[in-house]
Amino acid sequence: MGFSTRITNRNPQCEMVKQTRLCMVRPCEILVSKLPGKGKKCVRTKKSLKAVHFEYKNCTSIQTYKPRYCGLCTDGRCCTPHNTKTIKVEFQCPQSKVFKKPMMLITTCVCHNSCPQDNVQITHPIL
């Protein structure tokens, strides 16, 4: 689990505000060995077949979700979210505390050359 931060003025006051939301670009299990076959440059990991609970700070989402993740690019470029949406996820903690956090859900991913962290996400998730 990581954070996505952006600055936007898409609000009624047209003021610049910082928005932070939880995100998971890809699970840690995606390794270089799962790269696509010859001729393919990008693999978008399909929507999770199994509903999952998100975990954040030792708390678990009350609902289950079937998120989409970004895959990998074989030509040295980065595969990152292109279209996303934000939802409010409700988390339950062991001490019965309940809270909501905004979370980014991925709709589509894209390969590009503007790579964060020198493209180390080929073998590690972007956090």
Side-chain angles (χ1 to χ4, degrees):
M1 190 68 70
F3 291 94
S4 168
T5 303
R6 65 183 177 183
I7 308 245
T8 182
N9 65 348
R10 293 187 84 186
N11 57 64
Q13 298 79 25
C14 198
E15 293 177 357
M16 297 299 274
V17 292
K18 182 178 176 179
Q19 295 177 337
T20 301
R21 55 194 176 160
L22 298 173
C23 64
M24 182 179 275
V25 176
R26 69 186 52 82
C28 294
E29 296 81 40
I30 294 181
L31 302 173
V32 175
S33 63
K34 292 191 176 184
L35 290 174
K38 193 174 185 177
K40 293 194 177 184
K41 293 186 172 141
C42 182
V43 160
R44 182 188 77 211
T45 303
K46 294 185 194 260
K47 191 174 193 174
S48 178
L49 297 175
K50 185 176 164 186
V52 296
H53 287 277
F54 293 123
E55 293 183 19
Y56 174 68
K57 291 191 173 181
N58 203 30
C59 304
T60 305
S61 64
I62 293 172
Q63 275 189 259
T64 57
Y65 299 88
K66 288 187 174 180
R68 284 188 198 276
Y69 301 108
C70 290
L72 302 170
C73 305
T74 59
D75 58 1
R77 295 183 298 165
C78 306
C79 189
T80 58
H82 182 249
N83 289 318
T84 64
K85 65 180 179 179
T86 303
I87 62 167
K88 289 276 189 180
V89 176
E90 196 168 14
F91 290 90
Q92 173 84 50
C93 300
Q95 309 81 12
S96 298
K97 179 182 173 190
V98 176
F99 63 93
K100 289 183 180 181
K101 281 280 195 188
M103 182 157 184
M104 176 182 82
L105 290 184
I106 296 168
T107 306
T108 61
C109 299
V110 67
C111 288
H112 60 86
N113 289 315
S114 180
C115 302
Q117 302 174 356
D118 297 320
N119 203 18
V120 293
Q121 77 275 13
I122 284 178
T123 56
H124 304 289
I126 299 172
L127 297 177

